[in-house]
Amino acid sequence: MTAVTKIVFLGATSASFGISMFRDLFSSRDLAGSTLVLVGRNADRLLRTERLAKLLNDKSHAGLKIESTTDWRNALDGAEFVIHSTVIDRNRLWKLDWEVPRKYGIRHTLGENGGPGGLFFTLRTLPMVFDFVREMERRCPQALFVNFSNPESRIVLALGKYSRIRTIGLCHGIFMARDAVAAILGLPAEQVEVWGAGLNHFQCLTQIRNRATGADLYPLLRDKERDYDPKVSPLSRNLFRAFGYWLGCGDGHVGEYLAYGWEAGEGGYNFEWDEGERAKTEKTIDDVLAGRAEIPWWWLTASGERAVAVIAAVLHDRKQLIESGVVYNQGTIPNLPASAAVEVPVMADMAGIHPVSLGPLPDAVAKLMTVQVNVQQLAVEAAVQASKELALQALLIDPVVNSAEAARLLLDELWEINRPYIRKCI
């Protein structure tokens, strides 16, 4: 008998991420016969999303049963997998997370997963996530919560500590790191195999090997990097030279966790580009649904995100290795705190998600990452307790924050902006 399941997709109306998720869902036959429930708050956008999903499902012969609802609570009844990709007022609040600290002299790179921006993203996001998860505990307590939303580490850390729901966070950062080192090596990305462990957006590539021969590529990387274009990834390369390992998945991301991250650039996120791309995607969706345009060919190919691989491995008991997942540590990386959220390879099968330990990190790398673990832990406590006092402490231990006066000023301003979303979770 073919195994089938119920998958609930929270945040399905996101134009960009929705397309990525649909690409993976509908380019596979692994979930044929299963029910996919699309959940969104805006009924008109949800109807459009459902129409697109049914069109792609029919075109690809993926064989899923498609439903949609704005009632996320009832949608969770009987679910075995819950995909989460929601965000509150994304670009407006993220811009403020970026602009307000800079007004008070804080130099940072993205304002999303680290620094003051990461704190306020945590404060407003965790109450919403816990709404979903508490309902899962009542309606589908055995379901797997597959998280794509940022701040990824802080969500997984909070759920590991305060919920019994099984959780994995997924991110394509490991592939971004692989692509970066492959470019320096002058090799095709598919020829380079990497193994990484650490924090989300801050992994340490413990091994870089030639996929065909197994040869260690670190000596070649050290040689090639010396003469590579100095304008490319200056922060990551400075860390590489200092610590001996490739850390993170790009200067903007890893720079969020470091006092000197801004030295490689303070450009922030390109909101204008983002909004332009989203507008293009929405127009293409409308044109496809109206019959004015063909389905772009790449909409029917896999995106590279790993949610469907995880779900299929659990559903069909495949014992599949997934390159990277964010999980509650509990000793997987023995020289990081047990109550950290870490990103490591995982094995997925019918019994769930099994983190794969690559052993301890290099000592200096572990010490560098532990600083950020401490920030994340305190930020999570501030969010779950809705505590402004703990939020100030989280700012004052964050290496990105260079002034106690600035910390208090930005805290007052951003707390008022985010007040409608901040509430106790425990």
Side-chain angles (χ1 to χ4, degrees), residues 95-170:
K95 283 180 184 176
L96 292 168
D97 290 342
W98 164 254
E99 292 167 354
V100 172
R102 282 183 61 80
K103 181 171 70 173
Y104 296 114
I106 303 297
R107 307 187 76 169
H108 58 159
T109 61
L110 279 178
E112 183 185 27
N113 282 284
L119 171 65
F120 282 93
F121 205 171
T122 306
L123 287 165
R124 65 176 173 265
T125 299
L126 283 186
M128 175 181 65
V129 169
F130 273 100
D131 284 347
F132 296 140
V133 167
R134 295 302 182 219
E135 203 66 28
M136 287 177 66
E137 290 171 349
R138 288 186 282 270
R139 295 175 184 257
C140 53
Q142 300 305 313
L144 177 65
F145 187 75
V146 182
N147 182 67
F148 281 98
S149 292
N150 281 322
E152 184 96 70
S153 289
R154 296 155 189 241
I155 291 172
V156 172
L157 194 162
L159 297 185
K161 186 171 184 180
Y162 291 112
S163 172
R164 64 179 184 271
I165 289 294
R166 298 183 303 162
T167 300
I168 182 171
L170 294 175

Side-chain angles (χ1 to χ4, degrees), residues 315-394:
L315 183 63
H316 300 296
D317 196 25
R318 286 184 177 156
K319 295 177 170 53
Q320 181 172 344
L321 181 71
I322 305 297
E323 297 87 344
S324 197
V326 185
V327 295
Y328 201 47
N329 188 22
Q330 298 291 281
T332 305
I333 302 178
N335 55 346
L336 289 184
S339 57
V342 296
E343 189 160 356
V344 293
V346 300
M347 186 72 72
D349 62 20
M350 192 175 288
I353 304 299
H354 314 285
V356 175
S357 178
L358 301 181
L361 291 168
D363 183 62
V365 171
K367 286 177 167 57
L368 181 65
M369 291 185 179
T370 298
V371 173
Q372 188 55 215
V373 171
N374 293 332
V375 174
Q376 292 175 357
Q377 290 173 332
L378 201 45
V380 165
E381 291 307 309
V384 298
Q385 297 183 43
S387 167
K388 193 173 182 182
E389 291 75 15
L390 288 177
L392 177 60
Q393 292 172 13

Side-chain angles (χ1 to χ4, degrees), residues 61-318:
H61 307 290
L64 278 83
K65 300 172 184 175
I66 312 293
E67 300 175 3
S68 71
T69 181
T70 56
D71 185 349
W72 62 267
R73 290 179 175 83
N74 284 331
L76 293 171
D77 282 333
E80 292 186 290
F81 301 93
V82 177
I83 298 169
H84 175 249
S85 68
T86 67
V87 66
I88 297 170
D89 202 357
R90 178 180 183 265
N91 280 8
R92 183 182 73 86
L93 290 174
W94 187 0
K95 283 180 184 176
L96 292 168
D97 290 342
W98 164 254
E99 292 167 354
V100 172
R102 282 183 61 80
K103 181 171 70 173
Y104 296 114
I106 303 297
R107 307 187 76 169
H108 58 159
T109 61
L110 279 178
E112 183 185 27
N113 282 284
L119 171 65
F120 282 93
F121 205 171
T122 306
L123 287 165
R124 65 176 173 265
T125 299
L126 283 186
M128 175 181 65
V129 169
F130 273 100
D131 284 347
F132 296 140
V133 167
R134 295 302 182 219
E135 203 66 28
M136 287 177 66
E137 290 171 349
R138 288 186 282 270
R139 295 175 184 257
C140 53
Q142 300 305 313
L144 177 65
F145 187 75
V146 182
N147 182 67
F148 281 98
S149 292
N150 281 322
E152 184 96 70
S153 289
R154 296 155 189 241
I155 291 172
V156 172
L157 194 162
L159 297 185
K161 186 171 184 180
Y162 291 112
S163 172
R164 64 179 184 271
I165 289 294
R166 298 183 303 162
T167 300
I168 182 171
L170 294 175
C171 175
H172 55 260
I174 190 73
F175 302 112
M176 294 167 65
R178 177 204 61 193
D179 293 351
V181 298
I184 295 171
L185 288 164
L187 295 173
E190 60 271 15
Q191 195 174 328
V192 178
E193 180 179 68
V194 299
W195 290 81
L199 309 181
N200 181 237
H201 291 177
F202 201 8
Q203 281 182 297
C204 172
L205 297 190
T206 58
Q207 295 186 42
I208 305 173
R209 296 194 173 274
N210 185 301
R211 189 177 295 278
T213 67
D216 181 5
L217 292 176
Y218 255 123
L220 181 61
L221 180 63
R222 293 186 183 98
D223 181 58
K224 294 273 192 178
E225 185 274 329
R226 279 194 293 269
D227 298 319
Y228 201 71
D229 182 351
K231 295 189 293 296
V232 175
S233 303
L235 175 62
S236 300
R237 290 164 67 185
N238 278 331
L239 293 171
F240 176 48
R241 293 169 191 168
F243 291 90
Y245 292 85
W246 193 269
L247 305 178
C249 56
D251 286 6
H253 288 309
V254 74
E256 291 206 86
Y257 302 142
L258 302 169
Y260 44 86
W262 60 270
E263 291 180 340
E266 301 175 76
Y269 188 65
N270 191 335
F271 294 103
E272 185 176 341
W273 171 86
D274 178 87
E275 287 163 7
E277 290 301 303
R278 287 172 186 272
K280 289 178 191 175
T281 299
E282 299 208 0
K283 182 180 186 306
T284 304
I285 293 171
D286 288 338
D287 288 344
V288 166
L289 292 176
R292 294 188 296 265
E294 294 293 320
I295 299 171
W297 65 268
W298 52 273
W299 285 12
L300 300 173
T301 64
S303 77
E305 301 284 4
R306 306 302 282 151
V308 172
V310 168
I311 292 169
V314 174
L315 183 63
H316 300 296
D317 196 25
R318 286 184 177 156

